[in-house]
């Protein structure tokens, strides 16, 4: 037989996993708690007749607990879906809590009103785009910095070794030793390609285009005929000037 007072004495004075003690008071972390305060009237464990409001993905539900289902933990809570309209939801709460204590009805409506207002404020905030601040652990930063430093040192070392080997190859240091063990065709090809790359970088590109005179039509040249000078007239004038 369930006795609410005995359960409250055990929960209040011995041990409760949902209680959160602070300097201002004791709070309850049970999701079915109506007010969030750890006291006799708000404890969902020490009240065989209890009602609360819960929200799931924007939908509100009225949860009811009665003494008749105390022997069935699986069916202990009865859930009633509330309408989206605020006033119709209050009517549903009044209908299901018609003969319940007035203080419990008032606290249930108060909880529903607060949760409804909170949901209305959350909707416009969710539509706004905000910057999301991501924290990076210090250990990860140091690890990435060490890896980057090692990669830079390895790249510089590889470039310096490659440059030194190419200089020795150009001077002919490995000419005698490689002639017997390994053919020099690959090295000669590499040197030829390197010379071509250097030549391409130094020499500018030269392009050849058609003569501009070929683009001019003969009809266009005839338009300039009025400006031609007759050679015979020019010679006559020269002779007259000579005689003078």
């Amino acid at each position: 037989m369930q006795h609410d007072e005995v359960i409250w004495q055990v929960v209040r004075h011995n041990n409760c996993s949902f209680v959160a003690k602070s300097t201002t008071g004791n709070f309850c972390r049970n999701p079915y708690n109506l007010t969030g305060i750890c006291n006799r009237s708000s404890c969902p464990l020490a009240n065989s007749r209890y009602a609360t409001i819960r929200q799931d993905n924007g939908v509100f539900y009225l949860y009811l607990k009665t003494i008749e289902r105390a022997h069935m933990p699986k069916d202990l809570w009865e859930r009633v879906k509330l309408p989206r309209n605020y006033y119709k939801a209050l009517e549903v709460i009044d209908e299901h809590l018609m003969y319940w204590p007035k203080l419990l009805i008032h606290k249930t409506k108060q909880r529903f009103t607060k949760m409804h207002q909170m949901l209305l404020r959350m909707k416009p905030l969710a539509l706004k785009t905000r910057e999301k601040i991501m924290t990076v652990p210090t250990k990860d930063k140091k690890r990435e910095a060490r890896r980057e430093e090692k990669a830079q040192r390895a790249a510089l070392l590889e470039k310096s070794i490659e440059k030194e080997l190419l200089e020795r190859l150009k001077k002919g240091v490995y000419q005698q030793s490689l002639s017997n063990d390994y053919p020099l065709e690959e090295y000669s090809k590499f040197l030829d390609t390197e010379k071509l790359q250097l030549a391409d970088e130094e020499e500018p590109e030269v392009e050849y285009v058609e003569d501009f005179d070929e683009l001019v039509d003969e009809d266009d040249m005839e338009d300039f005929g009025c400006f031609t000078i007759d050679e015979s007239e020019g010679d006559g004038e020269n002779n007259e000037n000579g005689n003078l």
Side-chain angles (χ1 to χ4, degrees):
M1 189 77 181
Q2 182 174 352
H3 198 284
D4 294 345
E5 190 63 31
V6 174
I7 295 174
W8 171 248
Q9 292 297 328
V10 173
V11 170
R12 182 69 177 89
H13 299 289
N14 291 339
N15 184 26
C16 181
S17 60
F18 298 106
V19 67
K21 296 181 180 181
S22 64
T23 57
T24 57
N26 296 337
F27 298 95
C28 183
R29 291 177 292 192
N30 194 311
Y32 291 95
N33 194 297
L34 188 61
T35 59
I37 301 173
C38 182
N39 54 25
R40 177 69 176 81
S41 60
S42 300
C43 182
L45 302 176
N47 288 278
S48 58
R49 194 180 190 187
Y50 200 77
T52 186
I53 301 291
R54 296 192 65 185
Q55 183 257 139
D56 185 19
N57 294 328
V59 181
F60 294 99
Y61 294 93
L62 173 64
Y63 280 78
L64 303 173
K65 174 186 175 183
T66 58
I67 188 64
E68 290 80 12
R69 294 190 300 273
H71 65 286
M72 295 184 298
K74 182 173 68 70
D75 302 327
L76 184 62
W77 290 92
E78 179 186 357
R79 187 174 75 170
V80 180
K81 184 178 179 180
L82 298 178
R84 291 186 177 273
N85 191 322
Y86 174 73
Y87 298 101
K88 291 183 179 180
L90 291 179
E91 293 178 0
V92 172
I93 293 173
D94 288 332
E95 181 181 354
H96 285 81
L97 302 179
M98 185 180 298
Y99 302 105
W100 289 53
K102 293 183 178 180
L103 179 62
L104 189 62
I105 297 173
H106 173 69
K107 292 293 183 183
T108 305
K109 290 183 178 179
Q110 189 178 25
R111 179 179 174 85
F112 173 70
T113 304
K114 289 182 179 180
M115 295 178 69
H116 188 268
Q117 292 175 354
M118 181 186 68
L119 189 65
L120 292 177
R121 290 194 299 266
M122 286 173 59
K123 286 182 179 179
L125 292 175
L127 296 175
K128 293 182 180 179
T129 57
R130 294 185 176 183
E131 296 181 355
K132 190 175 181 180
I133 300 174
M134 301 292 292
T135 59
V136 180
T138 309
K139 186 186 294 183
D140 295 346
K141 287 183 178 180
K142 291 181 179 179
R143 183 171 62 249
E144 294 297 330
R146 288 196 299 268
R147 289 178 179 176
E148 185 177 357
E149 187 178 357
K150 289 180 181 179
Q152 290 178 356
R153 288 201 301 266
L156 292 175
L157 183 61
E158 289 178 359
K159 289 182 179 180
S160 61
I161 292 173
E162 183 180 358
K163 185 177 180 181
E164 182 67 23
L165 290 175
L166 289 176
E167 291 294 332
R168 293 185 181 183
L169 183 61
K170 290 176 183 178
K171 293 178 181 178
V173 176
Y174 304 114
Q175 194 78 17
Q176 186 176 359
S177 61
L178 293 175
S179 59
N180 299 327
D181 300 333
Y182 192 80
L184 297 177
E185 296 179 359
E186 300 294 334
Y187 294 100
S188 60
K189 288 180 181 179
F190 180 78
L191 292 175
D192 294 338
T193 55
E194 189 178 13
K195 290 178 181 179
L196 290 174
Q197 290 178 358
L198 292 174
D200 293 339
E201 292 178 358
E202 294 176 359
E203 295 181 1
E205 294 183 359
V206 180
E207 296 181 358
Y208 298 94
V209 297
E210 296 181 358
D211 189 6
F212 180 77
D213 295 338
E214 295 179 3
L215 301 177
V216 181
D217 297 336
E218 294 180 356
D219 297 337
D220 297 336
M221 294 298 296
E222 291 178 357
D223 297 338
F224 296 98
C226 58
F227 297 99
T228 56
I229 299 174
D230 190 2
E231 294 180 357
S232 60
E233 293 178 359
D235 294 338
E237 291 177 358
N238 293 331
N239 293 329
E240 291 177 359
N241 292 329
N243 296 327
L244 291 173

